[in-house]
Amino acid sequence: MSVTSADRPGSLEIVLVKAGRTKISYPAELLADDGIRVVVRAPWAGDSVRDFGFVRFEKGDVFTEYYWRDRWYAVKEVRDAAGVRKGWYCDITRPATVSAGRLVVEDLDLDLWLSADGTDVLRLDEDEFAQSGLAATDPVAAAAAEKALDDLEHLAREGGFEELLV
């Protein structure tokens, strides 16, 4: 189902679920929905600064977020208050579902960071993923999550990453 600008709602509630519980939810401006990929924009939804060591998310940051109904990840382009790109934070998730004004994704612990200049590609939280037990409880989902991380890393290192977002 494609949503045109004439019938596009102005916003969606983004809901990130982890281990069966809502981790965070926040309103976002709906930019596009072609029936497969949903694009939204939202300010940093955290209560405080989040310093990962390689990037800081803070008040004023703006996230343009790309979700797919048929892919096991979400890509979030992060810009500071002045519009300067910090990089891309990628969550490995189950495919997004959208209904009743809500976009819901389940976080599967794995993440990838790609710096704005493309020099830093970091695989994140592989220890949390291993500890989650997903490989034992849902081996199909675990394999899909690992493949999604590998695919994103390959795109980030070999080029083609930004083509995902066009």
Side-chain angles (χ1 to χ4, degrees):
M1 159 177 117
S2 180
V3 177
T4 66
S5 59
D7 59 10
R8 182 177 71 202
S11 65
L12 282 175
E13 178 185 10
I14 307 301
V15 181
L16 182 64
V17 175
K18 188 170 181 176
R21 290 192 203 94
T22 298
K23 180 178 174 183
I24 190 169
S25 68
Y26 52 92
E29 175 189 4
L30 178 62
L31 301 178
D33 182 348
D34 66 9
I36 296 174
R37 187 180 76 174
V38 179
V39 184
V40 300
R41 183 176 299 129
W44 165 239
D47 293 332
S48 59
V49 171
R50 179 112 189 248
D51 190 343
F52 291 94
F54 52 87
V55 68
R56 288 170 51 102
F57 296 160
E58 53 201 330
K59 185 177 177 161
D61 286 351
V62 176
F63 288 65
T64 302
E65 304 176 2
Y66 301 80
Y67 298 92
W68 287 264
R69 291 176 174 93
D70 63 350
R71 297 185 189 179
W72 288 72
Y73 53 79
V75 176
K76 300 170 182 180
E77 179 190 55
V78 185
R79 292 183 181 264
D80 68 15
V84 176
R85 182 185 295 148
K86 292 182 175 187
W88 295 270
Y89 195 90
C90 307
D91 286 319
I92 304 303
T93 67
R94 291 184 189 269
T97 60
V98 180
S99 90
R102 293 172 40 128
L103 182 146
V104 180
V105 290
E106 181 182 350
D107 184 348
L108 298 177
D109 294 311
L110 295 171
D111 301 294
L112 183 95
W113 170 254
L114 173 60
S115 61
D117 64 6
T119 58
D120 292 327
V121 179
L122 306 172
R123 292 171 70 107
L124 306 170
D125 302 328
E126 290 179 290
D127 54 338
E128 288 180 32
F129 178 74
Q131 292 171 2
S132 74
L134 189 64
T137 60
D138 191 343
V140 172
E146 290 172 327
K147 181 178 182 330
L149 182 62
D150 291 343
D151 290 349
L152 284 173
E153 180 182 20
H154 176 77
L155 286 172
R157 292 189 186 281
E158 303 301 324
F161 188 86
E162 289 188 63
E163 291 174 20
L164 282 173
L165 313 179
V166 177

